[in-house]
Amino acid sequence: MCGIVGYTGGRPAAPLLLDGLQKLEYRGYDSAGIALLTPEGIRMVKNAGHGGVMALEILAGKIGALPMAASAGIGHTRWATHGRPTDINAHPHLDASGEFAIAHNGIIENYMPLRARLRAEGYVFRSETDSEVVAHLLARHYSGDLAEALRGALAEIEGSFALIVMSSRHPGQLAAARRNAPLIVGVGAESEFFIASDIPAVLKETRDIYVLEDGEMAVADRAGVCFTDFAGDPRPKTVTRVTWDAAAAEKAGYDHFMLKEIDEQPQALRDTLSGRADKSGVIDLGIAADFFADVDRVAFVGCGTAYHACLVGRELLEQWARLPAETAIASEFRYRQPLVDARTLVVAVSQSGETADTLAALREAKKEGARVLAVTNVVGSTVAREADEVLFTWAGPEIAVASTKAYTTQLEIMALLAMFLAARAGRLAAERSAALLKELRSLPAKIEDILARKEQLRGLAAGLSDSSSAFFIGRGLDWAVALEGALKLKEISYIHAEAYAAGELKHGTLALVTRETPVIAVATQRTLYEKTLSNVEEVKAREGRVLAVTRAENKELAAAADEVFFLPPVSDDLAPIITVVPLQLIAYYAAVRRGNHVDKPRNLAKTVTTE
Ligand code: F6R
């Protein structure tokens, strides 16, 4: 996720673009840049953050070097996916002649074959990004009309994009296009237009907005703005008047970042999967095959939510690849003289990539000669840099302290890694792999189905928000999800919540179950269903209140429970990726009902850099 802005009008563009980028910093902040159209050609400044100074702060110090008379340009604030956060990888990107500039948010899935082909044709690449291909494609397709050149480029690229492009051959003109990434056009005073990823970027200047749909393009200059589809046919559009205040706009109208991030999960999952597997079931993790040679054990390490993702990773890996695997809470790992050696693969999972405990575990593992694979959401983070190899989740910045979209994308990476290692071990047939991938691709729509039933979840949360204690139970993968559900509930609602392997409850904890204790029973695993059902009966016999999160066909459980939330159909193995979503929403609505500060819960920090 990145932020892009464009401006064309009668005022100096540089300060307007910088201001827009500052408003979009929540979309990405590891590097930033601005390019302007001037009579002498395109002028550009761009940089990554350095030495603890934020990228945009450094950029702000540089814009004085740009010609203030320039009244059209584009800007970008980056959250790196392809290519580290460096000055060169910062956007905008230019073609080799320097006549075309682009700012891109999204992922160009087929950038590798495109780059290879363009290189063979003589185009010289400067950056490691997927986005740079678009600048060269523009130059390649250009024959006098910028919009035509953009259409030509769009016909070649696969993936998601919000793009703003410009050319020194077309002073004052910006062209933009969208597919699976947000883009708006703001109409300013006296023939000026703003283009941006999101409304906050333009709110200071205008409240009159056109929202582009997937497959639409806009071309703006001082004469006006016109909208077409990618074939060039006109698209009628109407202006929307935005009434949000600036703070609400940053959250796209949501009350909290957490809810926004819960809603972003379908797209985050699509992005994280993109380019990593083909339709026939072959997984390409972008890691050389010999990295995994001779691995005979896997240890997953992480903290909190990331640790819960590790639990799912271990289960899938053991089931699919039959490879011995263990999980460790990172803060425990280093102190117990872990049994790792050169044949152990240590998978360090961390959204931020800066968690001190996870870093310490990673360093301990390396000291013992293990090879370390990081799973992280932040390109350029310490975990990413110190690991031998990295698999990035492409969830975009996660701002709410309670992790949601980072967790579901971590689970998706866990599934891909387990599939990859199982296929390597000859234990995953191509047809099974293709079927699993097909299902992974279907999960965003299933999450959308759950998100459409928020009101039911709000009602269920109301039923438990006055409780002082709650239990989550489940077996197998459901237990892993129950642990995450309990963590979500306690950290933002401050209701004491514990998760138990359902069969373990009767070994002591059942003594705490009364009429006042809600028990959330997670039951998706078919082979374990009867057993979980018995555990629910045990709770009911003690007058406990049961909320079941389960499959529609589990009629006995639905009848035994006081309340039930049905999940869309899903396989047992991939169920955790969707099952956690109702639990996130129940925690969210319970916290809102209790009047808590949802995005910044008490005593917690987003990045925990102390051991
Ligand atoms: C809970 C939560 C934390 C983090 C943990 C690890 O919602 O966010 O439990 O998961 O602090 O953080 P990362 O993943 O950044 O290493």
Side-chain angles (χ1 to χ4, degrees):
M1 196 154 98
C2 304
I4 61 176
V5 286
Y7 171 77
T8 179
R11 292 187 280 162
L16 290 168
L17 292 170
L18 181 69
D19 191 62
L21 292 178
Q22 282 162 342
K23 300 290 182 331
L24 291 182
E25 212 175 353
Y26 66 91
R27 296 184 60 87
Y29 42 74
D30 61 44
S31 33
I34 285 175
L36 300 177
L37 287 175
T38 80
E40 289 75 43
I42 291 174
R43 294 288 172 270
M44 180 167 75
V45 286
K46 59 180 190 169
N47 54 265
H50 287 291
V53 186
M54 300 296 282
L56 273 169
E57 216 177 309
I58 299 175
L59 190 74
K62 288 182 177 172
I63 63 162
L66 289 170
M68 276 304 134
S71 61
I74 60 178
H76 189 276
T77 180
R78 181 168 185 245
W79 182 259
T81 58
H82 296 64
R84 292 159 298 146
T86 60
D87 293 355
I88 288 181
N89 288 339
H91 294 220
H93 290 287
L94 304 181
D95 77 310
S97 70
E99 292 182 349
F100 297 89
I102 67 110
H104 167 228
N105 167 36
I107 294 171
I108 309 292
E109 283 179 21
N110 60 336
Y111 80 100
M112 286 214 264
L114 284 175
R115 188 164 61 185
R117 198 195 74 206
L118 288 162
R119 271 196 176 131
E121 290 173 10
Y123 291 88
V124 178
F125 280 74
R126 298 189 183 96
S127 77
E128 304 162 332
T129 64
D130 54 331
S131 312
E132 191 184 339
V133 292
V134 182
H136 298 296
L137 284 173
L138 274 181
R140 193 174 183 280
H141 286 279
Y142 182 75
S143 57
D145 183 327
L146 182 62
E148 274 306 318
L150 179 56
R151 274 193 273 278
L154 295 179
E156 294 210 51
I157 60 181
E158 291 164 17
S160 59
F161 49 80
L163 278 163
I164 314 178
V165 308
M166 61 184 195
S167 168
S168 54
R169 301 192 186 200
H170 297 270
Q173 190 176 76
L174 302 179
R178 136 169 203 169
R179 183 197 290 155
N180 287 335
L183 198 61
I184 56 121
V185 174
V187 184
E190 292 170 33
S191 311
E192 58 176 4
F193 296 96
F194 299 82
I195 306 181
S197 301
D198 228 337
I199 292 167
V202 305
L203 213 50
K204 209 167 114 189
E205 303 297 333
T206 177
R207 291 183 168 272
D208 294 331
I209 308 285
Y210 291 101
V211 179
L212 268 76
E213 305 294 335
D214 282 343
E216 288 185 341
M217 280 179 57
V219 179
D221 57 26
R222 300 241 30 206
V225 59
C226 70
F227 299 98
T228 66
D229 60 18
F230 290 177
D233 294 324
R235 294 286 281 238
K237 295 197 79 67
T238 46
V239 167
T240 308
R241 182 126 188 111
V242 177
T243 51
W244 299 331
D245 63 19
E250 203 172 84
K251 299 184 192 118
Y254 286 88
D255 289 340
H256 301 102
F257 277 110
M258 182 176 174
L259 189 58
K260 176 171 177 280
E261 288 162 8
I262 289 173
D263 273 2
E264 282 168 359
Q265 290 180 110
Q267 189 57 37
L269 286 166
R270 285 187 192 106
D271 287 345
T272 299
L273 188 57
S274 86
R276 286 182 159 144
D278 66 20
K279 294 218 161 46
S280 66
V282 177
I283 294 173
D284 179 3
L285 297 179
I287 296 175
D290 61 1
F291 176 71
F292 298 100
D294 305 327
V295 166
D296 63 4
R297 281 181 64 240
V298 180
F300 293 91
V301 297
C303 304
T305 291
Y307 170 71
H308 295 155
C310 292
L311 296 173
V312 174
R314 179 197 62 196
E315 191 88 6
L316 296 182
L317 190 72
E318 283 195 346
Q319 281 176 25
W320 294 346
R322 305 307 296 160
L323 201 57
E326 65 159 320
T327 51
I329 291 174
S331 56
E332 292 290 316
F333 182 78
R334 64 184 294 208
Y335 298 109
R336 65 170 167 87
Q337 297 175 306
L339 285 173
V340 299
D341 59 25
R343 296 172 72 128
T344 312
L345 172 68
V346 172
V347 182
V349 183
S350 172
Q351 185 283 130
S352 62
E354 301 296 346
T355 301
D357 289 323
T358 310
L359 256 175
L362 176 156
R363 288 173 183 155
E364 179 70 23
K366 286 189 88 170
K367 204 171 86 203
E368 296 300 322
R371 69 204 87 168
V372 177
L373 171 65
V375 176
T376 179
N377 197 35
V378 184
V379 178
S381 60
T382 315
V383 166
R385 282 187 278 112
E386 294 198 14
D388 300 302
E389 288 287 354
V390 191
L391 286 172
F392 290 107
T393 49
W394 290 328
E398 194 179 60
I399 292 169
V401 164
S403 187
T404 53
K405 61 179 180 169
Y407 173 71
T408 38
T409 52
Q410 282 162 359
L411 295 189
E412 190 174 47
I413 291 283
M414 294 293 139
L416 287 172
L417 178 64
M419 286 168 69
F420 177 83
L421 291 174
R424 252 184 82 85
R427 291 183 178 276
L428 193 70
E431 307 80 66
R432 169 94 172 111
S433 183
L436 281 168
L437 279 171
K438 189 165 168 229
E439 194 186 358
L440 277 176
R441 288 193 191 97
S442 76
L443 295 184
K446 292 179 183 180
I447 293 178
E448 277 153 7
D449 170 78
I450 294 170
L451 296 174
R453 290 184 279 145
K454 281 194 188 111
E455 279 314 307
Q456 188 195 349
L457 292 161
R458 190 207 293 269
L460 294 172
L464 58 80
S465 61
D466 293 332
S467 312
S468 54
S469 186
F471 291 104
F472 287 69
I473 58 170
R475 287 169 176 258
L477 286 169
D478 289 333
W479 178 28
V481 176
L483 283 159
E484 176 59 9
L487 179 61
K488 285 289 91 87
L489 187 66
K490 63 187 141 193
E491 70 178 324
I492 56 168
S493 76
Y494 314 148
I495 297 171
H496 172 249
E498 292 306 326
Y500 275 87
E504 183 66 7
L505 207 61
K506 59 184 174 296
H507 294 287
T509 310
L510 200 54
L512 292 176
V513 172
T514 66
R515 195 190 290 274
E516 275 70 53
T517 328
V519 176
I520 294 100
V522 183
T524 67
Q525 304 296 297
R526 289 178 176 86
T527 52
L528 302 168
Y529 169 61
E530 301 292 337
K531 299 279 181 218
T532 307
L533 181 59
S534 308
N535 302 132
V536 166
E537 301 288 2
E538 286 158 16
V539 170
K540 286 307 301 169
R542 274 79 187 171
E543 300 196 330
R545 276 192 294 136
V546 175
L547 159 59
V549 176
T550 191
R551 298 173 179 282
E553 64 264 30
N554 290 345
K555 300 277 187 284
E556 306 89 333
L557 178 56
D562 298 85
E563 275 156 324
V564 62
F565 183 85
F566 288 125
L567 295 161
V570 64
S571 71
D572 289 27
D573 292 347
L574 298 182
I577 301 179
I578 69 164
T579 309
V580 74
V581 178
L583 305 186
Q584 295 168 342
L585 284 163
I586 287 170
Y588 171 76
Y589 287 120
V592 170
R593 215 182 141 82
R594 287 166 73 103
N596 295 352
H597 199 326
V598 174
D599 284 337
K600 291 193 175 133
R602 68 185 182 206
N603 306 342
L604 300 178
K606 184 68 184 158
T607 304
V608 186
T609 50
T610 51
E611 282 187 38

